[in-house]
Coordinates of all heavy atoms in Angstrom, one line a residue:
V88 N 7.9 23.5 0.0 CA 6.6 23.5 0.3 C 5.8 24.3 -0.7 O 4.7 24.0 -1.2 CB 6.2 24.1 1.7 CG1 4.9 24.4 2.0 CG2 6.8 23.2 2.8
Q89 N 6.5 25.5 -1.1 CA 5.8 26.2 -2.2 C 5.6 25.5 -3.6 O 4.6 25.5 -4.2 CB 6.6 27.5 -2.5 CG 6.5 28.5 -1.3 CD 7.5 29.7 -1.5 OE1 8.1 29.9 -2.5 NE2 7.5 30.5 -0.6
K90 N 6.6 24.6 -3.8 CA 6.5 23.8 -5.0 C 5.5 22.8 -4.9 O 4.7 22.5 -5.8 CB 7.9 23.0 -5.2 CG 8.0 22.1 -6.4 CD 9.3 21.6 -6.7 CE 9.8 20.6 -5.6 NZ 10.9 19.9 -5.9
M91 N 5.4 22.1 -3.7 CA 4.3 21.1 -3.5 C 3.0 21.8 -3.5 O 2.1 21.2 -4.2 CB 4.6 20.4 -2.1 CG 5.8 19.4 -2.2 SD 6.0 18.4 -0.8 CE 6.2 19.6 0.5
C92 N 2.9 22.9 -3.0 CA 1.6 23.7 -2.9 C 1.1 24.1 -4.3 O -0.1 24.0 -4.7 CB 1.5 24.8 -1.9 SG 1.6 24.2 -0.3
A93 N 2.1 24.6 -5.1 CA 1.8 24.9 -6.4 C 1.3 23.7 -7.3 O 0.3 23.9 -8.0 CB 3.1 25.5 -7.1
R94 N 2.0 22.6 -7.0 CA 1.4 21.4 -7.8 C 0.0 21.1 -7.3 O -0.9 20.8 -8.1 CB 2.3 20.3 -7.6 CG 1.9 18.9 -8.2 CD 3.0 17.9 -8.2 NE 2.3 16.7 -8.6 CZ 2.8 15.5 -8.3 NH1 4.0 15.3 -7.8 NH2 2.1 14.3 -8.7
F95 N -0.2 21.1 -6.0 CA -1.6 20.7 -5.5 C -2.6 21.6 -6.1 O -3.6 21.3 -6.5 CB -1.5 20.6 -4.0 CG -2.9 20.3 -3.3 CD1 -3.0 19.0 -3.0 CD2 -3.9 21.1 -3.1 CE1 -4.2 18.5 -2.4 CE2 -5.1 20.8 -2.6 CZ -5.3 19.4 -2.3
S96 N -2.3 22.9 -6.0 CA -3.2 24.0 -6.4 C -3.5 23.7 -8.0 O -4.7 23.9 -8.4 CB -2.7 25.4 -6.2 OG -3.6 26.2 -6.7
S97 N -2.4 23.6 -8.7 CA -2.6 23.4 -10.2 C -3.5 22.3 -10.5 O -4.3 22.4 -11.4 CB -1.2 23.4 -10.8 OG -1.3 23.0 -12.2
E98 N -3.3 21.2 -9.8 CA -4.0 19.9 -10.2 C -5.4 19.9 -9.6 O -6.2 19.1 -10.0 CB -3.1 18.8 -9.8 CG -1.9 18.7 -10.7 CD -0.8 17.6 -10.3 OE1 -1.3 16.7 -9.4 OE2 0.2 17.4 -10.8
N99 N -5.6 20.6 -8.5 CA -6.9 20.6 -7.8 C -7.7 21.7 -7.9 O -8.9 21.9 -7.5 CB -6.7 20.1 -6.4 CG -6.2 18.7 -6.2 OD1 -7.0 17.8 -6.5 ND2 -4.9 18.6 -5.9
G100 N -7.1 23.0 -8.3 CA -7.8 24.1 -8.6 C -7.7 25.2 -7.4 O -8.1 26.3 -7.5
S101 N -7.2 24.8 -6.3 CA -7.0 25.7 -5.2 C -6.2 25.1 -4.0 O -6.1 23.8 -3.9 CB -8.5 26.1 -4.6 OG -8.3 27.1 -3.6
L102 N -5.9 25.8 -3.1 CA -5.3 25.3 -1.7 C -6.3 25.7 -0.7 O -6.1 25.2 0.4 CB -4.1 26.1 -1.4 CG -2.8 25.9 -2.3 CD1 -1.7 26.8 -1.8 CD2 -2.3 24.5 -2.3
I103 N -7.4 26.3 -1.1 CA -8.4 26.8 0.1 C -9.6 25.8 0.1 O -10.3 25.5 -0.9 CB -8.9 28.2 -0.4 CG1 -7.8 29.2 -0.5 CG2 -9.9 28.6 0.7 CD1 -6.9 29.3 0.7
C104 N -9.8 25.3 1.3 CA -10.8 24.3 1.6 C -12.2 24.7 1.1 O -12.9 23.9 0.4 CB -10.9 24.1 3.1 SG -12.3 22.9 3.7
A105 N -12.6 25.9 1.4 CA -14.0 26.4 0.8 C -14.1 26.4 -0.6 O -15.1 25.9 -1.2 CB -14.2 27.7 1.4
E106 N -13.0 26.7 -1.3 CA -13.0 26.7 -2.8 C -13.0 25.3 -3.3 O -13.7 25.0 -4.3 CB -11.8 27.5 -3.3 CG -11.9 28.9 -3.1 CD -10.6 29.7 -3.4 OE1 -9.6 29.1 -4.1 OE2 -10.6 30.9 -3.1
L107 N -12.3 24.4 -2.7 CA -12.2 23.1 -3.1 C -13.6 22.4 -2.9 O -14.1 21.5 -3.7 CB -11.2 22.2 -2.4 CG -9.7 22.6 -2.7 CD1 -8.7 22.2 -1.6 CD2 -9.3 22.1 -4.1
L108 N -14.2 22.7 -1.8 CA -15.6 22.2 -1.6 C -16.7 22.8 -2.4 O -17.5 22.1 -3.0 CB -16.0 22.2 0.0 CG -15.2 21.4 0.9 CD1 -15.6 21.6 2.3 CD2 -15.1 19.9 0.5
S109 N -16.6 24.1 -2.6 CA -17.7 24.8 -3.3 C -17.6 24.4 -4.9 O -18.6 24.5 -5.6 CB -17.6 26.2 -3.2 OG -16.3 26.9 -3.6
G110 N -16.4 24.1 -5.3 CA -16.3 23.6 -6.6 C -17.0 22.3 -6.9 O -17.3 21.9 -8.0
Q111 N -17.5 21.6 -5.8 CA -18.3 20.4 -5.8 C -19.7 20.7 -5.6 O -20.5 19.8 -5.5 CB -17.8 19.4 -4.9 CG -16.4 19.0 -5.0 CD -16.1 18.3 -6.2 OE1 -16.8 17.4 -6.6 NE2 -15.0 18.6 -7.0
N112 N -20.0 22.0 -5.7 CA -21.5 22.5 -5.4 C -22.0 22.1 -4.1 O -23.2 21.7 -4.0 CB -22.5 22.0 -6.5 CG -22.1 22.6 -7.9 OD1 -21.7 23.7 -8.0 ND2 -22.1 21.9 -8.9
L113 N -21.1 22.1 -3.1 CA -21.4 21.8 -1.8 C -21.7 23.1 -1.0 O -21.1 24.1 -1.3 CB -20.4 20.9 -1.1 CG -20.0 19.7 -1.6 CD1 -18.8 19.2 -0.9 CD2 -21.1 18.7 -1.4
S114 N -22.7 23.0 -0.1 CA -22.8 24.2 0.8 C -21.7 24.2 1.8 O -21.4 23.1 2.4 CB -24.1 24.2 1.6 OG -24.2 23.2 2.4
V115 N -20.9 25.2 1.8 CA -19.7 25.3 2.7 C -20.0 26.1 4.0 O -20.4 27.2 3.9 CB -18.6 25.9 1.9 CG1 -17.3 26.0 2.8 CG2 -18.2 25.2 0.6

Side-chain angles (χ1 to χ4, degrees):
V88 169
Q89 289 170 9
K90 178 174 71 171
M91 291 185 296
C92 286
R94 178 174 166 195
F95 185 94
S96 181
S97 172
E98 295 175 8
N99 294 289
S101 183
L102 297 174
I103 306 302
C104 176
E106 293 172 3
L107 292 163
L108 294 180
S109 65
Q111 302 294 312
N112 296 318
L113 297 172
S114 63
V115 179

